[in-house]
CSV table of all heavy atoms in Angstrom, one decimal:
chain,number,residue,atom,x,y,z
A,99,LYS,N,91.8,-78.6,51.0
A,99,LYS,CA,90.8,-79.6,50.8
A,99,LYS,C,91.2,-80.6,49.7
A,99,LYS,O,90.7,-81.7,49.7
A,99,LYS,CB,89.4,-79.0,50.4
A,99,LYS,CG,88.7,-78.3,51.6
A,99,LYS,CD,87.5,-77.5,51.0
A,99,LYS,CE,87.0,-76.6,52.1
A,99,LYS,NZ,86.3,-75.5,51.5
A,103,ARG,N,89.7,-85.5,50.3
A,103,ARG,CA,88.3,-86.0,50.1
A,103,ARG,C,88.2,-86.4,48.7
A,103,ARG,O,89.0,-86.0,47.8
A,103,ARG,CB,87.3,-85.0,50.6
A,103,ARG,CG,87.6,-83.6,50.2
A,103,ARG,CD,86.7,-82.6,50.9
A,103,ARG,NE,87.3,-82.1,52.1
A,103,ARG,CZ,86.7,-81.1,52.8
A,103,ARG,NH1,85.5,-80.7,52.5
A,103,ARG,NH2,87.3,-80.7,53.9
A,104,HIS,N,87.2,-87.1,48.3
A,104,HIS,CA,86.9,-87.5,46.9
A,104,HIS,C,88.1,-88.3,46.4
A,104,HIS,O,88.5,-88.2,45.2
A,104,HIS,CB,86.6,-86.3,46.0
A,104,HIS,CG,85.3,-85.6,46.5
A,104,HIS,ND1,84.1,-86.2,46.4
A,104,HIS,CD2,85.1,-84.4,47.0
A,104,HIS,CE1,83.2,-85.4,46.9
A,104,HIS,NE2,83.8,-84.3,47.2
A,107,ASP,N,87.0,-90.5,43.6
A,107,ASP,CA,86.2,-89.9,42.6
A,107,ASP,C,87.1,-89.3,41.5
A,107,ASP,O,88.3,-89.0,41.8
A,107,ASP,CB,85.4,-88.7,43.2
A,107,ASP,CG,84.1,-89.3,43.9
A,107,ASP,OD1,83.5,-90.1,43.4
A,107,ASP,OD2,83.9,-88.8,45.0
A,109,TYR,N,87.4,-86.5,40.4
A,109,TYR,CA,87.5,-85.1,40.6
A,109,TYR,C,88.0,-84.8,42.0
A,109,TYR,O,88.0,-85.7,42.8
A,109,TYR,CB,86.2,-84.3,40.3
A,109,TYR,CG,85.0,-84.9,41.0
A,109,TYR,CD1,84.7,-84.6,42.4
A,109,TYR,CD2,84.2,-85.9,40.4
A,109,TYR,CE1,83.7,-85.2,43.0
A,109,TYR,CE2,83.1,-86.4,41.1
A,109,TYR,CZ,82.9,-86.1,42.4
A,109,TYR,OH,81.8,-86.6,43.0
A,110,ARG,N,88.5,-83.6,42.2
A,110,ARG,CA,89.1,-83.3,43.5
A,110,ARG,C,88.2,-82.6,44.5
A,110,ARG,O,88.4,-82.7,45.7
A,110,ARG,CB,90.4,-82.5,43.3
A,110,ARG,CG,91.4,-83.3,42.5
A,110,ARG,CD,92.7,-82.4,42.3
A,110,ARG,NE,93.7,-83.3,41.7
A,110,ARG,CZ,94.7,-82.7,41.0
A,110,ARG,NH1,94.8,-81.4,40.9
A,110,ARG,NH2,95.6,-83.5,40.5
A,111,LEU,N,87.3,-81.8,44.0
A,111,LEU,CA,86.4,-81.1,44.8
A,111,LEU,C,85.0,-81.1,44.3
A,111,LEU,O,84.8,-81.1,43.0
A,111,LEU,CB,86.8,-79.6,44.9
A,111,LEU,CG,88.2,-79.2,45.5
A,111,LEU,CD1,88.5,-77.8,45.2
A,111,LEU,CD2,88.2,-79.5,47.0
A,112,CYS,N,84.0,-81.3,45.1
A,112,CYS,CA,82.6,-81.1,44.6
A,112,CYS,C,82.2,-79.7,44.7
A,112,CYS,O,82.8,-78.9,45.5
A,112,CYS,CB,81.7,-82.1,45.3
A,112,CYS,SG,81.3,-81.8,47.0
A,113,ALA,N,81.1,-79.3,44.1
A,113,ALA,CA,80.6,-77.9,44.0
A,113,ALA,C,79.5,-77.7,45.0
A,113,ALA,O,78.7,-76.7,44.8
A,113,ALA,CB,80.2,-77.5,42.6
A,114,THR,N,79.4,-78.4,46.1
A,114,THR,CA,78.4,-78.3,47.1
A,114,THR,C,79.1,-77.9,48.4
A,114,THR,O,80.3,-77.8,48.5
A,114,THR,CB,77.6,-79.5,47.3
A,114,THR,OG1,78.4,-80.5,48.0
A,114,THR,CG2,77.1,-80.1,46.0
A,115,GLN,N,78.2,-77.7,49.4
A,115,GLN,CA,78.7,-77.4,50.8
A,115,GLN,C,79.8,-78.3,51.3
A,115,GLN,O,80.6,-77.9,52.1
A,115,GLN,CB,77.5,-77.5,51.8
A,115,GLN,CG,76.6,-76.3,51.7
A,115,GLN,CD,77.0,-75.1,52.5
A,115,GLN,OE1,77.8,-75.3,53.4
A,115,GLN,NE2,76.6,-73.9,52.1
A,116,HIS,N,79.7,-79.6,50.8
A,116,HIS,CA,80.7,-80.6,51.3
A,116,HIS,C,82.1,-80.1,51.1
A,116,HIS,O,83.0,-80.2,51.9
A,116,HIS,CB,80.5,-81.9,50.6
A,116,HIS,CG,81.5,-82.9,50.9
A,116,HIS,ND1,82.5,-83.3,50.0
A,116,HIS,CD2,81.7,-83.7,52.0
A,116,HIS,CE1,83.2,-84.3,50.6
A,116,HIS,NE2,82.8,-84.5,51.8
A,117,CYS,N,82.4,-79.5,49.9
A,117,CYS,CA,83.7,-79.0,49.6
A,117,CYS,C,83.7,-77.5,49.4
A,117,CYS,O,84.1,-76.8,50.3
A,117,CYS,CB,84.3,-79.6,48.3
A,117,CYS,SG,84.8,-81.4,48.5
A,118,GLN,N,83.2,-77.0,48.3
A,118,GLN,CA,83.2,-75.6,48.0
A,118,GLN,C,82.1,-75.3,47.1
A,118,GLN,O,82.1,-75.7,45.9
A,118,GLN,CB,84.6,-75.2,47.4
A,118,GLN,CG,84.7,-73.8,47.0
A,118,GLN,CD,84.5,-72.8,48.1
A,118,GLN,OE1,85.3,-72.8,49.1
A,118,GLN,NE2,83.5,-72.0,48.1
B,401,ZN,ZN1,82.9,-82.7,48.3
Side-chain angles (χ1 to χ4, degrees):
K99 286 170 193 159
R103 39 191 95 176
H104 298 295
D107 282 314
Y109 47 84
R110 293 180 176 161
L111 298 168
C112 68
T114 70
Q115 285 276 335
H116 175 254
C117 288
Q118 177 60 62

